[in-house]
Amino acid sequence: MKIAFFSAKPYDKDFFNRHNTPYGFELQFWETHLGPHIVNAIDEGTEVVCVFVNDRLTAEVIGTMAAKQVKVIALRCAGFNNVDLEAAKKHGIRVCRVPAYSPEAVAEHAVAMLLTLNRKTHKAYNRVREQNFSLNGLLGFNLHGRTIGVIGTGKIGRAFCKIVLGFGCKVLAFDPFEDESLKASGVQYLPLEELLPQSDVISLHCPLTPENKYLINRETLAAMKPGVTIINTSRGALINTDEVITALKSAHVAYLGIDVYEQEEKLFFKDLSGSIIEDDKIQRLMSFPNVLVTGHQAFFTEDALAQIATVTLNSIHELIEGLAPQDPEVILV
Ligand code: NAI
């Protein structure tokens, strides 16, 4: 049984080959993303197509796949906004995903960004390599005793809350659904307008929806404490980039850590080191000494990649063999 992978990176090949032993599927890896330009190249006899966040599975692409007798689309990620599910349903193609792959990986990266910005370890690393052992400019603040505002306390937000509670922080949270176990641990739920002015650090852990696009905007930024630190490992468009740049220029926002960016599709997961980047907003953000940008790597741990590979291969096995899925959340169509 043949699976064609698109947007395949060396680490995808490594982890899927490693975890394929019990199944013995034939794996074919394409580096290019899937779209109308390449869909015709899928070999006849390919039963499964495995894709990632930037592959574009439009109705047209899915129609061509159906004509080639593709039976399953396996998303090796949680989000599925890039797949026309209606078209898949119409053509009888099953679609599965990986609903959760190590929430701790993302939560730990958010904490890593916070500690890097606060204790300036990125600067210290370079400075010491130049034999400069001066401490000027490296002053940080204790997290112990500070107030952390967590927006979204699902799987990742919950893991993040537990870590910062361990640091001795006061943790405030905003989520339409309150988590009783977090409340029992000392997390206090508040309306957003009360959380914003009280938090020294605000970390975003909610999904992007049409309702919360630009949740962080001129008004919500103005409601925050002067000197606030903002961390975003969720989705880029939760933050209005122009308006956060204005708040950084006035120093109202003291630190910003982002693993996601609203225009990231054109940039992230690619080596652009020899290219001219035309996106002036990301260049402006990267020019600030108090802004840390990482390229959507919060999920990127050995544990999470192993989970992605095992869940994806198991779901493919279940769908192809017509078995009932162990976890109904993996099946989209
Ligand atoms: P989840 O579905 O377990 O939890 C999301 C929580 O956000 C829910 O409790 C929900 O009630 C809450 N929520 C929804 N809208 C909200 C709003 N407007 N304000 C406050 N809370 C709101 O999701 P999970 O697994 O915790 O993931 C959260 C987000 O993290 C994902 O949607 C995704 O955008 C991002 N993510 C980022 C990764 C990375 O590598 N940077 C990897 C995986 C996920």
Side-chain angles (χ1 to χ4, degrees), residues 154-156 174-175 177 206-207 212 233-235 259 296 299:
K155 293 180 279 296
I156 296 170
F174 169 66
D175 191 308
F177 300 96
C206 56
N212 68 12
T233 55
S234 273
R235 283 293 176 264
D259 184 53
H296 209 135
F299 74 98

Side-chain angles (χ1 to χ4, degrees), residues 104 107-109 111 157-169:
E104 289 77 18
E108 288 173 16
H109 189 79
V111 175
R158 190 185 312 127
F160 180 86
C161 286
K162 287 182 187 163
I163 299 171
V164 291
L165 282 169
F167 283 156
C169 298

Side-chain angles (χ1 to χ4, degrees), residues 55-173:
D55 294 299
R56 290 278 158 260
L57 284 86
T58 58
E60 178 198 350
V61 169
I62 290 174
T64 309
M65 285 163 54
K68 287 175 174 282
Q69 311 295 323
V70 169
K71 295 189 176 65
V72 175
I73 295 168
L75 285 144
R76 53 183 192 279
C77 53
F80 48 88
N81 52 304
N82 52 332
V83 180
D84 188 328
L85 295 181
E86 282 307 312
K89 201 180 284 179
K90 188 178 124 199
H91 290 289
I93 296 183
R94 305 298 305 271
V95 184
C96 61
R97 63 168 181 152
V98 186
Y101 38 88
S102 188
E104 289 77 18
V106 183
E108 288 173 16
H109 189 79
V111 175
M113 296 193 94
L114 173 57
L115 286 171
T116 304
L117 284 165
N118 169 28
R119 304 309 299 268
K120 304 179 176 68
T121 44
H122 56 316
K123 293 186 185 173
Y125 174 80
N126 287 325
R127 201 181 269 199
V128 167
R129 286 167 71 88
E130 301 267 320
Q131 301 174 35
N132 176 354
F133 299 100
S134 156
L135 298 183
N136 292 332
L138 297 183
L139 192 65
F141 57 86
N142 286 10
L143 284 179
H144 184 267
R146 289 295 198 285
T147 301
I148 315 281
V150 181
I151 300 182
T153 54
K155 293 180 279 296
I156 296 170
R158 190 185 312 127
F160 180 86
C161 286
K162 287 182 187 163
I163 299 171
V164 291
L165 282 169
F167 283 156
C169 298
K170 176 177 176 188
V171 183
L172 306 178

Side-chain angles (χ1 to χ4, degrees), residues 1-6 28 30 34 38-51 57-58 60-75 83 87-96 316 319-320 333:
M1 211 276 303
K2 187 166 181 174
I3 310 175
F5 287 73
F6 286 87
Q28 180 188 44
W30 296 84
L34 178 56
I38 193 80
V39 65
N40 278 311
I42 293 175
D43 293 341
E44 300 295 334
T46 302
E47 288 185 56
V48 181
V49 169
C50 183
V51 296
L57 284 86
T58 58
E60 178 198 350
V61 169
I62 290 174
T64 309
M65 285 163 54
K68 287 175 174 282
Q69 311 295 323
V70 169
K71 295 189 176 65
V72 175
I73 295 168
L75 285 144
V83 180
K89 201 180 284 179
K90 188 178 124 199
H91 290 289
I93 296 183
R94 305 298 305 271
V95 184
C96 61
I316 291 170
L319 287 175
I320 291 291
V333 172

Side-chain angles (χ1 to χ4, degrees), residues 247-308:
L248 281 159
K249 281 159 87 174
S250 69
H252 185 68
V253 172
Y255 300 100
L256 174 69
I258 53 170
D259 184 53
V260 285
Y261 170 61
E262 45 175 328
Q263 303 296 337
E264 71 177 52
E265 268 184 37
K266 295 182 206 132
L267 305 168
F268 289 5
F269 307 117
K270 297 176 189 150
D271 179 358
L272 301 176
S273 50
S275 312
I276 304 295
I277 290 181
E278 289 184 25
D279 184 328
D280 292 342
K281 288 183 197 173
I282 193 88
Q283 296 291 49
R284 183 68 181 103
L285 280 175
M286 292 192 300
S287 75
F288 288 103
N290 50 347
V291 173
L292 178 65
V293 180
T294 53
H296 209 135
Q297 74 171 81
F299 74 98
F300 197 56
T301 65
E302 296 227 352
D303 315 67
L305 290 193
Q307 177 78 355
I308 288 170

